[in-house]
Amino acid sequence: MGDSFFGFNTGLPSMTDDELRMAQKERAAREDADVYDFASLRHELGDDDFDDGLGDQLEEAGDDLNDETFGDDTIGKDFDFAATTAQFTSKLPDDERMRHHKPNEIAQAHSPAQQHPQGSWQNEDLDRQHREANAIWSDFAQSQHQQHRQQPGYFQGTPPSSSMMQPPRGAMSLDEMEAELHRQRQQPAFSADQGLPGKKMMSLAEVEAAMLQRNHDLHHQQQLHFQQQQQSSAMPPMPMSPFGGFANVPPNNAMQQEQLRMAALQRQHQEFMEQMNKEREMRRIDDVRKSRYDNLMTQYDKDLVQRIQLHQLASGDPYADDFYYQVYSSLRMRASGTKPAEGGRGRDSRRDNSMMARMNQQVQRIVNDAKRRPKQTQVTLEGALGKITTLSTRNPRQVLQVSDKKPHDGSPTHIHASESTSTITPKVKSLGSMNDRRRLLNTVESLYSKILELEQMRRQGPARSRRDDDEEQERKLEEWNEQYSVKVQQLWDSLHIMEDNKEQTPLLVAVLTVNKGKKLIPRIIRPLTHDQNLSILSVILAHFSQLQVCRPVIYPGTQVASTEDAQRFVSYEDMDLFMNATAPALLSFITEAPMKVVIALTRLLMEKNDIRYVAQTKPGLAFLTMLLSRAEILKQGGGALHGYAPPSVEELSLWQDVYTALFQALQGRFASIFPAVYYLVPSNPSMDMNQLLLNIDDMYIWQFLAAIAVGASMEQQHVLVTEVRDRVMENIILAKSNRLPLDRATHRIDNTNLFLHSLGLDASQVSAPL
Amino acid sequence: MLFYSFFKTLVDQRVTVELKNDLAVTGVLKSVDQYLNIKLDDITVIDQDRYPHMIAVKNCFIRGSVVRYVQLPSQAVDTALLQDAARREAQTPNPQQANVRVK
């Protein structure tokens, strides 16, 4: 044969010495290299058997002192690199061991296989070197299992058929350990391969060794598996392409094509599966690796760390520090009510519950400890002057400390602080009113604190403990009730409703000037009794015209035309807040009132106030509407819902009188109840006043008109219609003229219909000129 | 502890945190602690071009002292309850030392 690819002589028969020499010389001649080879040289010189005696002339003496020079000791193993490596690699986890030793395994597996088929002299040479290297290294090798780690990187590895090597290697190291242990303890040999932790005869070390081996085996198998998959996945891509190429060649053979396609699909599927398996294997390997260090901390340790962290946050009364969160979550729980996530998700919820329970235990522990040893906020060190405040998150160092001394009343500094912050209605306050406002705000705040206390009492309920028997519990409940009613009484007293201040505006009216007062009133109503609430309502109605919200409204986007005293107006937002926050609570009171009460309230409203002025405001109309409609309902027998008897004849006649008085007072002025804007100009000069007018929702007016029309006699109805006719027409025409978006137009029509239906008419009956 | 309590109710809401160094980050509020340190999940930076180094960042931990603003969804807040909580906080007296005294 000619030269093989690499220029090796691939011929089989090996050469004799002579032939070898010839070949060498030829090679040398070709390469122009000087080859000095003693054997060939001697042969050339014809000197093979001649002993030239030169060897005898060597000085072989003077070796006596060698031992002294070089010492008797054995050659140290300090530079025994292979052995040291072997030592610590045996302790490495397995995959890294793989990395270190794979080339060696491969080399090792490869070399025995290679030695025989390729018997050329070059390989023999290499073999010789091989064996020499063997010899060199084996001098340093300490034990038998180190033979496997020779020839670092000597050969480049290829097919990974070496995986076979690993189990024996692993087993050998463990077997070794076993052997040692057996030798040490001289016990009958229990094979380490049996299943292990259960058998008490084995020592702990053996158990651990066995477990380690199990892990290794697992590793080996996984890696075996892994590599096999690598192999097989490497294989499929190859056959794919030639087949793909060939598919075009026999186009006639459809069957063959089909089969090929099937095969290709199958291979794809296989590939995919193998990919999945690969990933799964990797994940498992990672899991096992990561969980090697599990359970380093005991549950006690974990609890300790948690306690340290919770120590800062824990407190005895969660409501004191964590108020917002506690109340918010309880409100949400109540709101979501029927669908909590508690029992639903089995496993997760149980785990969460146990966590929560454990945390609560921790907190309890901490709190109890804290109670036993109260922590001082201020600490004095011995030998140092002064005290040190211990700072915590609850008690942080404040950057500024504002002194608590109250300024003198009426001091000149207050004049500078007289400009109010309201941008819509600039109010210039005088000295006295500044103080009044302050005092008012303080009063409102004190009312708030009382309300908060009451609500907190309600939330917590009477103090209960499991050790009490029924009597004890009852007693505590009574105590709680007492405390509660005392607080309610204090609240009531602070409102000063029963006191008789003829001249001054009542506190309630002032409170309703402030926005937070408007929000406060509905909260006050809840704990108070029915009668107390009735008094509140009466006071409000009696002084209705003095209310802040009973003033001409400044609609959004507008401002007051002239620079009049802005106290005469109210902003739309404030009025809206009243309607949304305060009015509903009061109005619901009227909805449940009997006839007597309705009559009394209406009379009060009329007598104490200028009803025409009141009727020009939205709150005024709202209250009037409610009173009128309630009266009508009662007349028609609606009082039975609350257990009231139908109104008696006197009541009915009384009511009629009141109604007539009301109607007469408003007669001729019905048109004026519609929003007037003569005093306003647009804030933005480019906006049209009419446009802004159109934005005002006048539903409440139509509701009032409907309410009053229901109880009206024929002439009264006639009067009503005459007076508001213009407005009605205006609305209908506007709605039909397509100047408004559709929903707004229908809204307008509906509003008007409220009134018209009460008269027995309808908007469609009106013929509108286009 | 009012703000701590408040932020605890906002966990799992999407908020925007603006820092004192002008970086603004939007993310889901994952946790808050007593120092108002904030952990956000799944973040996006408001002005991506200015902060290219934040492209790969998915979660972050922000020290409380560097926060300037936190923008939150208004429907997640119960304002009346917050006012009440503030009133309660204001009522408890704090015995503290201060750096500066203001008269």
Side-chain angles (χ1 to χ4, degrees):
Chain A
M1 291 267 183
D3 279 349
S4 77
F5 188 68
F6 290 103
F8 293 141
N9 188 345
T10 52
L12 282 175
S14 54
M15 296 186 204
T16 63
D17 269 342
D18 288 331
E19 292 177 33
L20 260 173
R21 264 180 253 135
M22 291 306 299
Q24 259 191 345
K25 271 201 252 174
E26 281 168 28
R27 194 183 55 172
R30 252 182 290 147
E31 296 176 0
D32 262 355
D34 285 349
V35 177
Y36 293 106
D37 174 26
F38 274 106
S40 57
L41 204 55
R42 287 179 77 192
H43 185 75
E44 264 187 335
L45 297 172
D47 235 345
D48 288 325
D49 303 314
F50 178 65
D51 178 24
D52 55 10
L54 287 171
D56 297 332
Q57 292 173 20
L58 277 176
E59 194 176 320
E60 296 275 324
D63 286 332
D64 301 331
L65 297 175
N66 276 354
D67 279 336
E68 210 179 305
T69 314
F70 298 110
D72 263 333
D73 302 13
T74 50
I75 306 166
K77 307 286 183 192
D78 287 338
F79 299 102
D80 185 356
F81 291 116
T84 321
T85 313
Q87 258 184 350
F88 73 77
T89 51
S90 65
K91 297 196 182 77
L92 276 179
D94 281 293
D95 45 352
E96 299 181 51
R97 202 193 299 212
M98 284 307 296
R99 254 186 270 136
H100 287 297
H101 299 304
K102 209 161 151 178
N104 299 331
E105 311 308 329
I106 294 161
Q108 235 226 323
H110 201 56
S111 49
Q114 269 190 341
Q115 273 171 18
H116 298 289
Q118 301 181 17
S120 71
W121 62 270
Q122 278 139 338
N123 280 328
E124 274 187 32
D125 253 358
L126 292 170
D127 280 344
R128 217 188 309 138
Q129 293 171 24
H130 203 52
R131 265 175 267 132
E132 284 166 0
N134 251 342
I136 294 171
W137 286 109
S138 61
D139 277 348
F140 294 95
Q142 273 179 356
S143 55
Q144 47 180 348
H145 68 263
Q146 309 226 342
Q147 287 173 11
H148 302 287
R149 293 174 193 78
Q150 296 159 21
Q151 308 137 22
Y154 222 85
F155 288 106
Q156 308 302 322
T158 29
S161 51
S162 59
S163 41
M164 310 303 170
M165 298 306 296
Q166 300 148 32
R169 175 175 52 82
M172 238 188 294
S173 63
L174 281 153
D175 281 348
E176 240 187 26
M177 284 167 64
E178 302 283 12
E180 276 182 30
L181 289 164
H182 286 313
R183 260 180 271 126
Q184 281 171 19
R185 302 170 78 253
Q186 285 167 353
Q187 281 197 348
F190 281 102
S191 163
D193 293 327
Q194 286 173 11
L196 332 167
K199 310 211 171 176
K200 290 185 199 161
M201 296 291 282
M202 302 176 109
S203 71
L204 188 61
E206 292 176 47
V207 167
E208 284 182 31
M211 296 215 68
L212 216 57
Q213 161 157 54
R214 240 218 227 132
N215 275 344
H216 289 179
D217 279 344
L218 216 62
H219 273 301
H220 299 326
Q221 281 167 20
Q222 285 170 357
Q223 280 152 356
L224 234 177
H225 212 47
F226 182 72
Q227 281 152 357
Q228 278 174 355
Q229 284 161 6
Q230 262 188 341
Q231 280 182 51
S232 43
S233 66
M235 297 286 281
M238 298 245 300
M240 284 291 281
S241 30
F243 275 120
F246 284 139
N248 294 328
V249 173
N252 315 329
N253 216 334
M255 266 301 282
Q256 207 176 0
Q257 265 186 339
E258 271 286 323
Q259 284 175 354
L260 295 172
R261 254 181 246 131
M262 290 287 291
L265 272 171
Q266 269 184 0
R267 248 174 243 105
Q268 263 181 345
H269 183 72
Q270 259 184 20
E271 218 182 72
F272 180 68
M273 291 303 293
E274 280 148 7
Q275 194 75 21
M276 291 288 294
N277 285 339
K278 241 192 294 178
E279 282 168 19
R280 239 181 287 149
E281 289 302 329
M282 296 215 64
R283 252 178 270 139
R284 238 195 300 157
I285 293 172
D286 283 331
D287 278 338
V288 172
R289 182 167 34 98
K290 283 179 204 166
S291 57
R292 271 188 70 184
Y293 294 101
D294 280 355
N295 296 327
L296 279 175
M297 289 177 87
T298 61
Q299 191 56 38
Y300 177 77
D301 293 332
K302 294 186 218 170
D303 283 347
L304 180 67
V305 173
Q306 256 197 337
R307 245 183 301 143
I308 294 172
Q309 291 172 333
L310 288 177
H311 185 265
Q312 289 288 320
L313 303 173
S315 70
D317 180 17
Y319 281 114
D321 292 309
D322 218 10
F323 181 76
Y324 185 82
Y325 178 75
Q326 297 290 332
V327 178
Y328 189 84
S329 42
S330 63
L331 281 178
R332 292 256 246 123
M333 290 293 285
R334 241 180 283 156
S336 65
T338 49
K339 33 172 177 144
E342 299 143 0
R345 284 180 231 135
R347 218 183 328 133
D348 266 351
S349 68
R350 247 180 284 136
R351 222 187 306 155
D352 284 343
N353 286 344
S354 67
M355 293 292 225
M356 290 301 292
R358 214 181 293 149
M359 249 197 336
N360 286 336
Q361 270 180 0
Q362 302 279 38
V363 172
Q364 274 303 312
R365 248 190 185 174
I366 295 168
V367 166
N368 291 336
D369 285 341
K371 277 192 198 151
R372 269 189 294 132
R373 302 181 216 122
K375 194 171 173 199
Q376 304 148 308
T377 50
Q378 293 193 325
V379 141
T380 320
L381 294 176
E382 268 194 42
L385 295 172
K387 302 186 204 151
I388 306 171
T389 321
T390 37
L391 301 172
S392 70
T393 39
R394 288 168 213 282
N395 185 16
R397 184 202 305 279
Q398 282 197 320
V399 177
L400 294 177
Q401 190 183 56
V402 181
S403 102
D404 270 339
K405 284 199 219 118
K406 289 195 175 25
H408 300 295
D409 282 346
S411 73
T413 52
H414 279 285
I415 299 178
H416 300 294
S418 63
E419 290 305 315
S420 130
T421 52
S422 159
T423 51
I424 298 174
T425 56
K427 299 174 188 151
V428 175
K429 292 209 169 66
S430 63
L431 277 160
S433 66
M434 189 60 184
N435 272 329
D436 288 341
R437 186 164 174 86
R438 278 255 186 113
R439 223 179 294 146
L440 173 63
L441 289 172
N442 270 321
T443 320
V444 175
E445 279 302 323
S446 70
L447 286 172
Y448 260 108
S449 351
K450 295 197 174 68
I451 279 286
L452 286 178
E453 277 179 26
L454 279 173
E455 286 179 0
Q456 185 61 20
M457 276 195 76
R458 281 196 73 83
R459 227 177 273 130
Q460 281 180 319
R464 273 171 296 161
S465 87
R466 262 172 278 171
R467 284 170 297 179
D468 303 334
D469 52 356
D470 286 333
E471 262 189 41
E472 188 71 17
Q473 276 190 3
E474 267 187 40
R475 197 177 61 79
K476 285 196 176 166
L477 183 65
E478 272 182 36
E479 230 181 82
W480 182 87
N481 275 332
E482 250 186 67
Q483 282 175 354
Y484 189 77
S485 43
V486 162
K487 293 215 166 140
V488 171
Q489 190 58 37
Q490 282 173 353
L491 175 66
W492 174 248
D493 292 337
S494 59
L495 285 172
H496 303 303
I497 290 190
M498 299 317 268
E499 295 163 32
D500 212 9
N501 306 335
K502 294 273 158 103
E503 319 250 322
Q504 294 172 325
T505 50
L507 182 62
L508 262 181
V509 171
V511 161
L512 284 171
T513 326
V514 188
N515 277 359
K516 55 180 169 180
K518 296 185 183 97
K519 291 185 211 161
L520 176 66
I521 298 295
R523 288 171 79 167
I524 283 190
I525 286 180
R526 228 168 306 139
L528 295 177
T529 65
H530 183 91
D531 289 335
Q532 286 168 333
N533 289 338
L534 187 55
S535 337
I536 289 177
L537 186 56
S538 329
V539 168
I540 292 178
L541 287 181
H543 299 267
F544 207 86
S545 48
Q546 294 164 4
L547 285 181
Q548 179 220 25
V549 292
C550 191
R551 290 183 207 153
V553 174
I554 301 175
Y555 293 100
T558 65
Q559 55 194 31
V560 184
S562 57
T563 50
E564 287 179 42
D565 184 11
Q567 274 232 343
R568 284 193 44 213
F569 300 95
V570 67
S571 78
Y572 183 77
E573 288 86 22
D574 291 349
M575 199 260 306
D576 207 36
L577 179 62
F578 177 85
M579 292 307 295
N580 292 336
T582 327
L586 301 169
L587 292 175
S588 62
F589 195 78
I590 297 179
T591 340
E592 302 166 346
M595 196 58 165
K596 281 192 308 190
V597 171
V598 173
I599 296 172
L601 288 174
T602 323
R603 279 170 71 178
L604 188 61
L605 182 59
M606 282 182 50
E607 285 160 21
K608 298 273 185 130
N609 302 292
D610 180 4
I611 202 71
R612 284 172 295 197
Y613 181 68
V614 167
Q616 281 175 343
T617 65
K618 186 166 172 182
L621 282 180
F623 274 91
L624 280 171
T625 316
M626 189 52 83
L627 289 164
L628 287 165
S629 46
R630 180 61 183 165
E632 287 309 312
I633 291 173
L634 286 169
K635 275 186 358 190
Q636 291 166 15
L641 277 170
H642 300 284
Y644 299 133
S648 64
V649 179
E650 307 112 51
E651 281 176 351
L652 284 173
S653 75
L654 274 174
W655 170 251
Q656 198 51 46
D657 293 339
V658 169
Y659 182 87
T660 322
L662 177 64
F663 199 90
Q664 278 178 351
L666 290 174
Q667 195 158 355
R669 304 289 186 107
F670 280 111
S672 68
I673 66 177
F674 287 91
V677 290
Y678 60 89
Y679 50 90
L680 295 173
V681 293
S683 314
N684 186 353
S686 58
M687 287 287 288
D688 182 23
M689 202 59 208
N690 289 328
Q691 193 63 32
L692 294 165
L693 262 181
L694 286 177
N695 286 341
I696 302 171
D697 185 11
D698 50 4
M699 189 165 85
Y700 66 98
I701 304 176
W702 298 108
Q703 283 172 334
F704 167 74
L705 288 171
I708 203 165
V710 169
S713 64
M714 280 311 294
E715 327 145 5
Q716 285 166 329
Q717 283 185 0
H718 191 70
V719 168
L720 268 177
V721 171
T722 323
E723 295 202 26
V724 292
R725 163 205 218 80
D726 294 336
R727 283 292 184 150
V728 173
M729 296 304 292
E730 203 184 293
N731 257 3
I732 296 179
I733 293 171
L734 193 59
K736 293 201 174 155
S737 71
N738 296 335
R739 269 172 56 197
L740 294 171
L742 187 61
D743 54 345
R744 294 259 301 273
T746 26
H747 188 65
R748 292 215 155 225
I749 293 269
D750 292 338
N751 291 346
T752 326
N753 271 337
L754 285 171
F755 171 58
L756 293 172
H757 287 170
S758 69
L759 293 172
L761 305 168
D762 186 74
S764 53
Q765 293 174 347
V766 179
S767 55
L770 288 165
Chain B
M1 302 299 278
L2 175 62
F3 282 109
Y4 173 52
S5 185
F6 177 64
F7 279 120
K8 275 201 290 186
T9 67
L10 292 176
V11 168
D12 290 334
Q13 298 274 353
R14 190 146 263 274
V15 300
T16 302
V17 180
E18 183 178 324
L19 306 181
K20 289 178 181 168
N21 64 358
D22 289 337
L23 174 65
V25 176
T26 304
V28 176
L29 183 69
K30 266 301 161 201
S31 88
V32 67
D33 69 356
Q34 51 183 328
Y35 304 108
L36 305 185
N37 297 329
I38 291 174
K39 268 196 173 176
L40 293 178
D41 254 10
D42 195 18
I43 60 176
T44 52
V45 178
I46 295 294
D47 194 356
Q48 295 267 14
D49 305 326
R50 257 180 80 188
Y51 305 102
H53 61 280
M54 297 282 292
I55 288 175
V57 180
K58 292 291 163 226
N59 314 325
C60 68
F61 172 91
I62 301 175
R63 183 183 158 98
S65 65
V66 304
V67 172
R68 184 187 287 148
Y69 298 125
V70 176
Q71 292 158 9
L72 12 123
S74 50
Q75 65 271 19
V77 178
D78 183 347
T79 24
L81 182 59
L82 192 54
Q83 286 180 351
D84 288 347
R87 285 190 177 103
R88 282 185 72 115
E89 284 273 319
Q91 281 164 7
T92 51
N94 275 330
Q96 289 167 20
Q97 303 285 18
N99 290 339
V100 182
R101 277 185 176 274
V102 174
K103 285 266 166 71

